[in-house]
Amino acid sequence: MTKREKPAWGLFVVLAIFLSVMIPGCRNSDTNISGSEPGTGKMGGVVTDHEQYLPQGQAAKTYQGASIKIYKSVEAGIYKTGEDYPEMKNYSVGDFVKEVTSGKDGVWEVELPAGKYFVRSFLGEKTYSGDIGVEVIKDKTVKVDIKLIPGI
């Protein structure tokens, strides 16, 4: 082999490794190099009254038995808040994923695949939390304290 052939062979090996990693479809950003599935994380917190809506002088309570519904978050376009501001992604509520119920002292927790979700909580027919956007991160627990608003 001549000196000229050795660098060409080495370049071929480097190029082959590079292409195996970079070709679309060969690797998903949600997976690690070994090809395992996306990881899971947790979200959880406490269900309480929203202090803003309580009568003056009344303390917030925690609620056992509140229904917590989790929905997938779906990209719904891009918007700008002004000409000099960066573009932002807008999300809407997607498919239903899971429902859990708050336990003793209003505490709840759920394990989910890493990703973006919306959380809603209900207590009876007229108490609601509104939609809360949450991102679950692999191997992390995200704290989501839910504040219920009466009369909705």
Side-chain angles (χ1 to χ4, degrees), residues 132-147:
I132 304 165
V134 180
E135 183 170 4
V136 172
I137 300 168
K138 179 182 175 183
D139 299 328
K140 304 275 185 198
T141 299
V142 179
K143 187 174 182 184
V144 184
D145 288 338
I146 298 173
K147 309 261 185 207

Side-chain angles (χ1 to χ4, degrees), residues 21 23-33 36 38:
V21 172
I23 293 174
C26 288
R27 196 172 154 200
N28 182 331
S29 63
D30 290 337
T31 61
N32 64 25
I33 292 173
S36 66

Side-chain angles (χ1 to χ4, degrees), residues 34-89:
S34 68
S36 66
E37 291 298 313
T40 60
K42 293 180 181 179
M43 71 169 83
V46 178
V47 179
T48 63
D49 290 310
H50 195 303
E51 295 85 1
Q52 181 179 345
Y53 298 95
L54 291 175
Q56 190 170 358
Q58 185 175 335
K61 297 181 285 188
T62 61
Y63 290 99
Q64 180 175 342
S67 171
I68 299 142
K69 296 185 179 189
I70 301 159
Y71 299 84
K72 195 71 180 153
S73 177
V74 180
E75 280 190 42
I78 296 176
Y79 68 95
K80 287 178 81 166
T81 56
E83 190 173 313
D84 295 333
Y85 293 93
E87 289 184 340
M88 305 287 287
K89 289 183 181 178

